[in-house]
């Protein structure tokens, strides 16, 4: 591939295109929050937790068994995910059950998984 194969050699600025995109451009805080979300789910352990929770609601003990990890490790990761609004929990007696927070997270995870599986 040539070094500048994807460079634009034109001298014309397509002002309409530039104005359209600039008019829709989110603020810097939005991009920071989006990047933080992708960093958060960009961890292999957290991806495995998200996969399990995408299948069904689970407690820490069950997640620990599925992922072959300690309850402490799972609890730590769940706390990170919960603080960031990626998972939510409900209490039933002494048990705490976790699920993905909402349909946006479900879709984000499933579309990402579909994308990488489609590439294989």
């Amino acid at each position: 591939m040539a070094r500048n194969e994807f460079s634009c050699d034109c001298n014309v600025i397509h002002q309409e295109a530039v104005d359209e995109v600039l008019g829709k451009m989110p603020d810097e805080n939005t991009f920071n929050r989006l990047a933080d979300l992708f960093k958060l789910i960009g961890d292999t352990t957290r991806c495995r937790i998200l996969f399990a929770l995408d299948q069904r609601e689970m407690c820490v003990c069950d997640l620990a068994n599925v992922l072959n990890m300690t309850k402490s490790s799972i609890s730590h990761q769940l706390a990170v995910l919960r603080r960031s609004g990626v998972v939510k929990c409900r209490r039933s007696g002494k048990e705490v059950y976790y699920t993905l927070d909402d349909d946006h997270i479900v879709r984000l995870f499933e579309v990402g998984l579909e994308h990488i599986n489609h590439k294989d």
Side-chain angles (χ1 to χ4, degrees):
M1 189 176 311
R3 187 169 158 218
N4 292 321
E5 184 176 338
F6 297 109
S7 295
C8 181
D9 290 335
C10 69
N11 293 320
V12 176
I13 295 176
H14 300 93
Q15 197 62 51
E16 184 178 310
V18 170
D19 290 344
E20 178 185 340
V21 172
L22 285 174
K24 296 176 181 176
M25 186 73 65
D27 63 20
E28 196 65 26
N29 184 50
T30 300
F31 284 120
N32 288 334
R33 291 174 51 217
L34 182 60
D36 287 344
L37 174 63
F38 282 115
K39 285 181 211 171
L40 180 74
I41 62 175
D43 175 87
T44 305
T45 298
R46 290 192 285 262
C47 280
R48 293 173 67 215
I49 291 170
L50 294 180
F51 178 84
L53 295 179
D54 187 42
Q55 304 306 301
R56 62 172 298 143
E57 177 182 71
M58 297 184 86
C59 70
V60 173
C61 292
D62 292 340
L63 283 166
N65 278 288
V66 165
L67 301 179
N68 195 27
M69 295 175 64
T70 65
K71 290 186 286 183
S72 176
S73 297
I74 295 294
S75 292
H76 171 74
Q77 296 297 336
L78 286 169
V80 170
L81 291 167
R82 191 167 160 230
R83 281 192 304 270
S84 300
V86 174
V87 301
K88 63 184 176 184
C89 64
R90 72 171 180 84
R91 183 172 293 279
S92 178
K94 292 183 178 183
E95 296 290 321
V96 178
Y97 293 93
Y98 291 85
T99 59
L100 298 180
D101 186 67
D102 61 22
D103 194 46
H104 297 109
I105 298 298
V106 170
R107 286 194 328 254
L108 179 65
F109 182 76
E110 289 178 354
V111 166
L113 196 57
E114 180 182 335
H115 177 73
I116 59 116
N117 285 334
H118 175 71
K119 297 289 184 182
D120 289 342

